[in-house]
């Protein structure tokens, strides 16, 4: 309903006669505008959107007198739509999910976020939450997220969520989240609770007799989490002994003879799932 323009047509005929009374109209077929037939005022019929619609209109308008000859004149009215900063930036994803391995070097690219603005404004990116420890940096112009530290530790932090804003030149903001999963690195070798184990067994003890159990010290050695902390045990092939690969229990496979052998030394190997090994 906003008035945009007032057309004025001059007629030398007397305004008191039909020949001097003018009627105005829009000849062009535009639904966005209408014209008051008596005053010549052009009004908006509906709102216009610079970002999604036409940015310029050319209206042919006509003034007609009411005389018997119906004399008319036409003119072209150009209406230009001006842009208003009325749109907030929108990210191409509401949530990004990415990963980085613990102990990764500094300045390694983790993820790139991107937002668009229908108004065509320049966009600046920034962290708004989740980066309180300063593990990451973001390029305000490109949206590239890099590591800033080598101290990311899977054993203390497995995932964090970064909230990022995109701000246009008019101060309008859009937001997204970046979920960063910290992947484990096999940092530690398995270590036994003792450097050596010993036990006594009587000769003629039957096969299947349990002799001792070796174990891993998880308090200060293989403190990796997940598969890297799963340890299996093994010994060289033996006619007399067997070790359970999961429990570390060493058992006899057949009776021993004191007159033949009075002692045995076995090497036990502990291997985690990343193939790091330790022997005892």
């Amino acid at each position: 309903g906003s008035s945009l323009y007032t057309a004025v047509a001059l007629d030398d005929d007397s305004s008191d006669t039909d020949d001097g009374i003018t009627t105005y109209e829009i000849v062009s077929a535009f639904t966005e505008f209408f014209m008051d037939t008596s005053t010549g005022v052009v009004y908006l019929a509906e709102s216009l959107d610079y970002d999604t619609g036409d940015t310029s209109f050319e209206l042919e308008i006509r003034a007609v007198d009411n005389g018997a000859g119906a004399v008319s004149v036409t003119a072209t009215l150009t209406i230009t739509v001006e842009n208003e900063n009325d749109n907030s930036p929108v990210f191409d994803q509401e949530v990004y999910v990415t990963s980085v391995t613990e102990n990764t070097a500094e300045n390694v690219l983790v993820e790139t976020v991107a937002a668009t603005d229908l108004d065509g404004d320049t966009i600046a990116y920034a962290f708004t939450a989740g980066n309180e420890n300063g593990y990451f940096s973001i390029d305000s112009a490109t949206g590239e997220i890099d590591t800033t530290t080598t101290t990311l530790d899977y054993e203390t932090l497995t995932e964090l969520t970064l909230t990022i804003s995109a701000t246009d030149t008019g101060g309008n903001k859009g937001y997204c989240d970046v979920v960063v999963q910290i992947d484990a690195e096999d940092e530690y070798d398995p270590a036994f609770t003792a450097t050596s184990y010993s036990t006594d067994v009587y000769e003629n003890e039957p096969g299947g007799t349990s002799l001792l159990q070796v174990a891993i010290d998880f308090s200060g050695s293989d403190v990796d989490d997940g598969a890297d902390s799963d340890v299996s045990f093994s010994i060289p092939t033996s006619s007399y002994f067997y070790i359970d690969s999961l429990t570390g229990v060493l058992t006899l496979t057949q009776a021993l003879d004191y007159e033949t052998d009075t002692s045995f030394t076995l090497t036990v190997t502990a291997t985690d799932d990343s193939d790091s090994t330790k022997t005892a």
Side-chain angles (χ1 to χ4, degrees):
S2 301
S3 61
L4 303 177
Y5 180 79
T6 301
V8 178
L10 301 177
D11 192 327
D12 289 338
D13 294 316
S14 172
S15 60
D16 296 329
T17 67
D18 287 343
D19 291 337
I21 298 175
T22 303
T23 299
Y24 298 94
E25 61 183 354
I26 297 175
V27 180
S28 308
F30 287 107
T31 61
E32 293 89 349
F33 310 97
F34 68 92
M35 192 173 196
D36 189 301
T37 58
S38 59
T39 65
V41 177
V42 178
Y43 294 93
L44 264 181
E46 58 188 64
S47 61
L48 304 177
D49 190 342
Y50 178 93
D51 307 302
T52 59
D54 294 326
T55 59
S56 180
F57 299 85
E58 288 194 354
L59 280 65
E60 184 181 357
I61 58 177
R62 180 164 56 199
V64 184
D65 68 20
N66 295 329
V71 178
S72 66
V73 64
T74 60
T76 299
L77 171 62
T78 301
I79 298 176
T80 301
V81 182
E82 295 182 351
N83 189 22
E84 182 182 36
N85 193 347
D86 57 348
N87 294 285
S88 296
V90 177
F91 283 93
D92 56 13
Q93 296 177 224
E94 291 185 3
V95 178
Y96 297 76
V97 179
T98 187
S99 63
V100 60
T101 303
E102 63 175 336
N103 303 317
T104 294
E106 297 178 12
N107 300 317
V108 172
L109 179 65
V110 175
E111 183 63 89
T112 301
V113 298
T116 55
D117 188 288
L118 283 177
D119 297 312
D121 294 339
T122 300
I123 293 174
Y125 301 96
F127 293 122
T128 60
N131 194 44
E132 289 77 13
N133 290 322
Y135 292 139
F136 304 97
S137 65
I138 187 168
D139 188 302
S140 63
T142 66
E144 293 182 350
I145 302 171
D146 294 335
T147 56
T148 60
T149 178
T150 61
T151 59
L152 284 171
D153 185 13
Y154 176 86
E155 283 70 41
T156 58
L157 180 67
T158 60
E159 182 179 288
L160 56 83
T161 298
L162 305 169
T163 299
I164 297 172
S165 66
T167 306
D168 67 18
T169 53
N172 300 311
K173 295 179 182 292
Y175 299 90
C176 76
D177 286 335
V178 178
V179 178
V180 182
Q181 298 169 343
I182 313 301
D183 292 337
E185 180 181 50
D186 187 31
E187 307 167 272
Y188 306 99
D189 292 336
F192 290 96
T193 54
T195 56
S196 63
Y197 298 84
S198 63
T199 188
D200 296 322
V201 59
Y202 289 104
E203 63 176 335
N204 299 319
E205 288 283 352
T209 300
S210 296
L211 302 179
L212 58 81
Q213 183 178 24
V214 297
I216 295 298
D217 178 12
F218 286 101
S219 64
S221 57
D222 198 333
V223 294
D224 292 315
D225 203 352
D228 291 337
S229 65
D230 296 333
V231 176
S232 61
F233 303 96
S234 62
I235 59 173
T237 302
S238 170
S239 300
Y240 298 106
F241 305 99
Y242 164 81
I243 192 168
D244 187 297
S245 62
L246 298 179
T247 65
V249 173
L250 184 70
T251 59
L252 282 174
T253 57
Q254 59 177 301
L256 302 175
D257 183 1
Y258 178 85
E259 284 70 36
T260 304
D261 294 292
T262 59
S263 67
F264 295 86
T265 299
L266 302 173
T267 299
V268 180
T269 300
T271 305
D272 66 22
D273 277 7
S274 67
D275 293 331
S276 295
T277 62
K278 189 68 74 174
T279 59

